[in-house]
Amino acid sequence: MSINVLVVDDSRVMRAMILKSLDLAGLPIDQTYQATNGQEGLEVLKQHGIDLVIVDVNMPIMNGEEMLDAMIKTPGLQDIPVLVISTESSVTRTSRLREKGAAFIHKPFKPETIRDTVQHIMEGK
Amino acid sequence: MNQQINRILGQITEDILEKLAFIFSSPEEEIDSIDKASSITGRVSFTGPFTGVLEMSISESALPELAGNMLGIDEDETTVELQQDALKELINVVCGNLLPAIAGKEIIFNVDAPQIVSSDDSATSERDVESEVKLELEEGQCDILLFLDGDIPSGLAGAE
């Protein structure tokens, strides 16, 4: 089954790197969507059927954790798996994200780490 | 300058250049500082238990390969804007990895969005350099400087 992925990051270089990694990983990706902050990301989620959200933490307007909080409160969005990819290293913050149900990958990452993590997330869905 | 932070900053920058941009570098203490007229500088500010600025300057000649490798496209296809975005992402990741290496992983920092600064920018000229690392690249040079407002509080992991 192919999946639709939304990548939310204010850096277009990082969005491109993540999309490239997904491509190289050989994952069954159907459509990919991009947003530059959490607010834009929520709009995309309302308009399209998304199976996986990959999101950064530090972004302007609405950060990744605020987007995750909004998804948890919104019927229809709360069950969409979220993978956070960030430079964030604070155990306090990363633990909080994991408690909210998100998987976490630290930057810099290897493409195979994204592949393995996405496979793990989608198998557990 | 703080030699221990120099060592941490050098290792992290080398590692991230390799992992993120597939660019190999080697520390060179004896070379001159990078020529600002032929390089691009990115800057990121942070606040937390200590506050400061991290600046990274890379030779213009190295930027097409750096951006091309990060984006997975031919270096001839990169634009100045893409090269600057690549530098901003690079310094963002270096800063995100440097601060916990200095202060420990329990500490929370707020990191601002990275910016490109002009060659005549003097915002850091009056500040003391806490750490400076010069790396030689195949196609140029990369200098990275850490400026702090005040001292690093004693007792933080990695700072001692």
Side-chain angles (χ1 to χ4, degrees):
Chain A
M1 187 188 81
S2 296
I3 59 171
N4 296 334
V5 181
L6 167 63
V7 179
V8 188
D9 196 308
D10 56 328
S11 163
R12 63 173 156 176
V13 170
M14 188 49 67
R15 293 198 305 273
M17 289 181 71
I18 291 168
L19 291 170
K20 188 81 180 171
S21 297
L22 289 171
D23 187 37
L24 289 172
L27 293 161
I29 307 293
D30 185 5
Q31 298 292 318
T32 58
Y33 300 87
Q34 300 183 45
T36 62
N37 60 66
Q39 198 172 78
E40 272 185 22
L42 290 172
E43 290 302 315
V44 175
L45 286 173
K46 287 172 189 168
Q47 292 165 14
H48 303 279
I50 301 293
D51 302 295
L52 173 68
V53 175
I54 298 178
V55 64
D56 186 19
V57 176
N58 293 316
M59 294 180 291
I61 302 173
M62 179 186 279
N63 70 35
E65 185 169 7
E66 290 166 340
M67 180 182 172
L68 181 58
D69 289 339
M71 288 175 65
I72 290 167
K73 288 177 190 164
T74 308
L77 303 185
Q78 56 216 160
D79 294 327
I80 299 173
V82 175
L83 168 59
V84 176
I85 300 181
S86 174
T87 57
E88 183 61 62
S89 293
S90 156
V91 174
T92 310
R93 276 189 178 148
T94 55
S95 298
R96 207 163 61 206
L97 291 164
R98 287 193 171 100
E99 283 166 12
K100 292 175 181 176
F104 188 86
I105 291 177
H106 190 256
K107 294 177 189 173
F109 56 82
K110 293 179 179 173
E112 50 267 40
T113 306
I114 290 195
R115 178 197 63 205
D116 295 347
T117 308
V118 170
Q119 278 177 344
H120 182 73
I121 290 169
M122 299 317 295
E123 282 166 10
K125 204 183 162 193
Chain B
M1 262 186 283
N2 186 320
Q3 291 305 319
Q4 183 169 358
I5 294 181
N6 263 13
R7 183 180 54 76
I8 295 170
L9 179 61
Q11 285 175 348
I12 285 173
T13 308
E14 273 187 80
D15 185 52
I16 288 169
L17 274 169
E18 185 182 333
K19 284 183 179 163
L20 214 57
F22 312 109
I23 284 183
F24 294 94
S25 59
S26 59
E28 292 291 343
E29 290 181 12
E30 302 305 319
I31 57 176
D32 292 336
S33 295
I34 198 163
D35 177 11
K36 290 281 186 183
S38 60
S39 62
I40 304 289
T41 300
R43 177 186 295 157
V44 65
S45 304
F46 56 88
T47 55
F50 52 89
T51 298
V53 170
L54 188 68
E55 276 191 2
M56 177 184 267
S57 300
I58 295 190
S59 307
E60 286 175 344
S61 56
L63 281 168
E65 182 188 5
L66 181 133
N69 288 354
M70 287 175 76
L71 289 158
I73 59 176
D74 194 285
E75 60 184 73
D76 294 336
E77 296 173 34
T78 64
T79 61
V80 171
E81 204 177 6
L82 282 175
Q83 293 168 16
Q84 292 183 350
D85 282 356
L87 174 58
K88 285 195 283 187
E89 188 55 36
L90 199 63
I91 193 169
N92 186 43
V93 176
V94 170
C95 190
N97 282 267
L98 175 69
L99 297 175
I102 294 173
K105 289 191 172 182
E106 301 294 328
I107 306 295
I108 294 178
F109 284 92
N110 292 308
V111 179
D112 292 342
Q115 298 174 322
I116 297 296
V117 296
S118 63
S119 56
D120 59 352
D121 181 279
S122 58
T124 53
S125 61
E126 300 295 316
R127 304 174 83 152
D128 291 333
V129 179
E130 178 72 17
S131 176
E132 179 179 16
V133 172
K134 291 176 277 191
L135 298 170
E136 198 167 57
L137 314 175
E138 194 178 343
E139 295 284 340
Q141 186 173 333
C142 170
D143 286 11
I144 185 151
L145 292 93
L146 176 66
F147 302 89
L148 295 182
D149 297 332
D151 296 326
I152 297 173
S154 60
L156 290 179
E160 293 164 350

